[in-house]
Amino acid sequence: MSETRPFLIVARSEPTDDDLIRAAEAEGCDVARLELFETRPGGQVDALAERLKKVEPGTAVAWTSRRAAAVLARTALPSRRATLESVPLFAVGDESAAPFRAEGLAVSVPSSGIGAGHLAGHLIEHARALGLKRVLFLHGDRALP
């Protein structure tokens, strides 16, 4: 009786999945990469860039997705670098912080865990010390209200 190999289907084509695919293949999995999922910048990218021309004191910028961070980085850097260096930046985790950290910008992430709830708690925990009054929060077109 022949042995059946495990089969992994990756439903997107993202470079961040390359390590996962190599690890699965090394463990004996057959892997198929199907481009079923595509991410595009939202229709409000230009409005976001305009908003970042002058950010009011007491404002932070936060996001829960590496894709959102990548869009913001492409949109705002290098033209809005000074603004982004002057406001607190918050991400849900290290992966979502990576596009800005790769550009040398400081991004705060919660140490309590990954998830929007942890990010919200982290923002609340630091709000007083940073004098935060508002947060520009990036979200996708399918985000919950």
Side-chain angles (χ1 to χ4, degrees):
M1 190 165 165
S2 67
E3 184 179 318
T4 303
R5 290 171 49 116
F7 192 73
L8 172 67
I9 298 174
V10 179
R12 63 185 188 183
S13 183
E14 294 277 335
T16 55
D17 295 328
D18 292 347
D19 289 343
L20 170 70
I21 289 169
R22 281 191 289 275
E25 289 172 337
E27 291 293 323
C29 289
D30 289 324
V31 178
R33 186 176 243 170
L34 307 173
E35 294 186 43
L36 303 175
F37 180 74
E38 178 183 18
T39 303
R40 297 180 188 172
Q44 298 173 330
V45 171
D46 292 335
L48 174 62
E50 186 67 26
R51 178 77 189 249
L52 289 174
K53 277 185 177 178
K54 185 174 184 212
V55 177
E56 298 172 44
T59 301
V61 179
W63 57 88
T64 60
S65 148
R66 180 191 53 78
R67 287 180 192 86
V71 168
L72 178 59
R74 280 193 308 272
T75 301
L77 295 173
S79 63
R80 306 286 184 260
R81 184 178 189 88
T83 299
L84 291 170
E85 288 176 332
S86 71
V87 299
L89 304 175
F90 291 87
V92 73
D94 290 328
E95 183 179 343
S96 62
F100 282 94
R101 287 180 172 169
E103 296 293 330
L105 292 164
V107 180
S108 182
V109 299
S111 60
S112 59
I114 293 178
H118 290 280
L119 178 58
H122 188 67
L123 280 160
I124 292 166
E125 178 183 330
H126 291 86
R128 183 177 297 226
L130 295 172
L132 298 181
K133 298 175 185 165
R134 71 196 59 74
V135 178
L136 295 177
F137 192 83
L138 303 164
H139 65 84
D141 63 348
R142 295 184 182 151
L144 297 173

